[in-house]
Amino acid sequence: ALQTNRLIVAQRQKKLTDSYISIGKLLDDLEIKTSAISLEGGEINVLTVNSLSQSIRSLSQIVFQVINHSFTKEDQARSVAASEFEILETIRNDFLDAYTQQNATVTDDVLFANMQDITICMVFSIKRALYAETLQQLKKQEDEFLLCSEKLMPQASENQSSLTHVQWLNTASEQRSRVFEIKRQVLILQASAKKYLTELDQLADQLTSLTSDYRQLIFRRFQTTADAAIVQEKRTINLAVILNIIAATLLFIFYWMIVVHGFGNRLTIISQAMRSIPTSDSDTKIRVSGRDEIAAMARALERLLEEALLTHQMATIDHLTQVNNRASFFTYAEKETERSKRRPTETCIMMIDIDHFKHINDTYGHDVGDKLLSSVADNCRKCTRTIDVFARLGGDEFTLMMPDTDLVSGRLAAERLRQRIEELHLELTPEVIIKVTTSIGISVVNLNETPIETALIQADKALYLAKICGRNQSK
């Protein structure tokens, strides 16, 4: 991104230099033609014209230097920002290493989250500062950056692996916020350039007015050579118009390069992506092309959306069995309850428990128990419909919610589940084969009348009845 930015800056400087040279050539041509008319007897004040020409030339040189200096400062600001990004990224990585190499506690989790939030806030403060258009916007980002750095200092001091970076945090705020100072200089230079461009327009207007007056004098004095005088004066007017156009073009080019370039639809796409909640891998793709800072921002946002999607999946899926977890089950139950209010139907709720699971766990170890849980969950899931919700509530207890299912259909489905699990054999060695059975409790309710919690209690009571009646059955 820095290399691309330097190429863009070089192109801007070349265009600026070409414009400055063009203005100089036009002014030289204007002065030569004015002197020639004066020598032919026209009542032209060459000193006034030359004075205005020199003023325009001097002011054009100042504008050239100011804008060129602002380009250099802008490039310097981006270079300093890149250095700051590397420091902040190193602090985050050090914290991540320290966090993963020790047994995390609640305090560690909070500290790590704080460090992540603070460093991300500092990175975005610098990025937004690079695109600030006013000193007020820049000051707001600088205050946010310094506030975050003050918060970051005590957090980093508590992490032994990041002590090498405390020295950077302990430096003077002016040193830490150097990128903001450079950007402030850029904004001041841009404001100065706009002021000088306005003055340049005024001088060009004065020159235009002056040449118009001289045209009238020449017309009255040299009627015999009116055609030649008009042609010559038209050239002078055209030069003045060209100067105005060049001045306006410089202002437009300056505005386009600084404000418009790299923004537009791409920022709109990024903004829409930031407000969305990803539900699949396709939702995390941001179609923003380019190799500049905005494209880099889009790629970074893609990574954040992918992490958000992964976090969502981790929050709703049981890690061991890869089925819905308890929280996810109750979320689906709430949706089914709302649907039942619109169209009341019967819903079958099952509680499924693996028989003698504690004995298997104690006898063969937790690894075998985990493998057994995964196998049972996988077989149960294969017996369900797409509209059913199968979840692990905890331990060896599973639940199944079957919408639009009465008691008869629920019993048939429970028996299919029980028989499939009964056919399941977990072979540890050729001599050791574990046979698995389950007990199932069934409850059929209208969720618009009976809460899901009550339905689970009823199914749990039925499960208890199946247990005391000999297990490996449904009740």
Side-chain angles (χ1 to χ4, degrees), residues 18-35:
D18 293 340
S19 299
Y20 174 71
I21 294 173
S22 178
I23 290 175
K25 291 180 179 179
L26 290 173
L27 290 173
D28 290 339
D29 192 17
L30 175 62
E31 292 172 1
I32 291 171
K33 286 179 170 36
T34 302
S35 298

Side-chain angles (χ1 to χ4, degrees), residues 306-334:
E306 289 172 357
E307 292 176 3
L309 178 60
L310 179 60
T311 302
H312 174 74
Q313 293 174 345
M314 293 175 62
T316 57
I317 302 299
D318 180 68
H319 178 70
L320 175 62
T321 60
Q322 295 300 304
V323 299
N324 294 304
N325 60 17
R326 185 185 186 90
S328 179
F329 173 79
F330 280 101
T331 300
Y332 282 113
E334 290 179 3

Side-chain angles (χ1 to χ4, degrees), residues 329-330 333-334 336-338 340-341 347 349 401 443-459:
F329 173 79
F330 280 101
E334 290 179 3
E336 183 60 28
T337 300
E338 292 299 321
S340 296
K341 291 179 181 179
T347 301
I349 305 295
M401 179 172 64
S443 173
V444 177
V445 298
N446 289 322
L447 288 178
N448 62 320
E449 300 174 354
T450 305
I452 186 63
E453 293 81 3
T454 303
L456 287 172
I457 292 173
Q458 294 174 357

Side-chain angles (χ1 to χ4, degrees), residues 188-251:
I188 292 173
L189 289 171
Q190 291 174 359
S192 299
K194 290 181 181 179
K195 176 183 176 183
Y196 291 140
L197 285 170
T198 302
E199 295 178 6
L200 189 60
D201 285 339
Q202 294 174 355
L203 289 174
D205 290 339
Q206 293 178 21
L207 186 59
T208 302
S209 176
L210 184 61
T211 53
S212 296
D213 293 339
Y214 286 154
R215 184 189 61 180
Q216 297 299 327
L217 289 173
I218 293 171
F219 181 79
R220 289 194 299 265
R221 187 173 181 85
F222 303 103
Q223 291 184 353
T224 55
T225 57
D227 293 339
I230 290 173
V231 171
Q232 186 67 33
E233 198 61 28
K234 282 184 177 179
R235 292 178 181 176
T236 305
I237 292 174
N238 289 336
L239 289 175
V241 172
I242 290 173
L243 286 175
N244 280 313
I245 294 174
I246 290 174
T249 303
L250 283 174
L251 182 60

Side-chain angles (χ1 to χ4, degrees), residues 352-358 360 372 376 380 396 398 417-426 434-440 463 466-467 470-474:
I352 305 168
D353 187 84
I354 301 175
D355 295 332
H356 305 295
F357 178 75
K358 185 177 184 305
I360 295 173
L372 178 62
V376 169
C380 287
D396 61 330
F398 298 89
L417 278 174
R418 186 192 63 78
Q419 291 173 6
R420 186 181 183 100
I421 300 303
E422 189 177 15
E423 295 171 357
L424 176 64
H425 296 86
L426 189 61
I434 300 176
K435 296 182 178 181
V436 186
T437 61
T438 56
S439 298
I440 304 175
L463 172 63
K467 289 283 188 182
R471 294 184 172 87
N472 192 26
Q473 56 186 286
S474 60

Side-chain angles (χ1 to χ4, degrees), residues 36-44 221-222:
I37 294 173
S38 177
L39 292 175
E40 292 175 2
E43 296 180 2
I44 294 180
R221 187 173 181 85
F222 303 103

Side-chain angles (χ1 to χ4, degrees), residues 157-168:
S157 299
E158 295 178 17
N159 179 19
Q160 295 298 324
S161 63
S162 65
L163 288 178
T164 56
H165 307 292
V166 176
Q167 181 179 0
W168 175 78

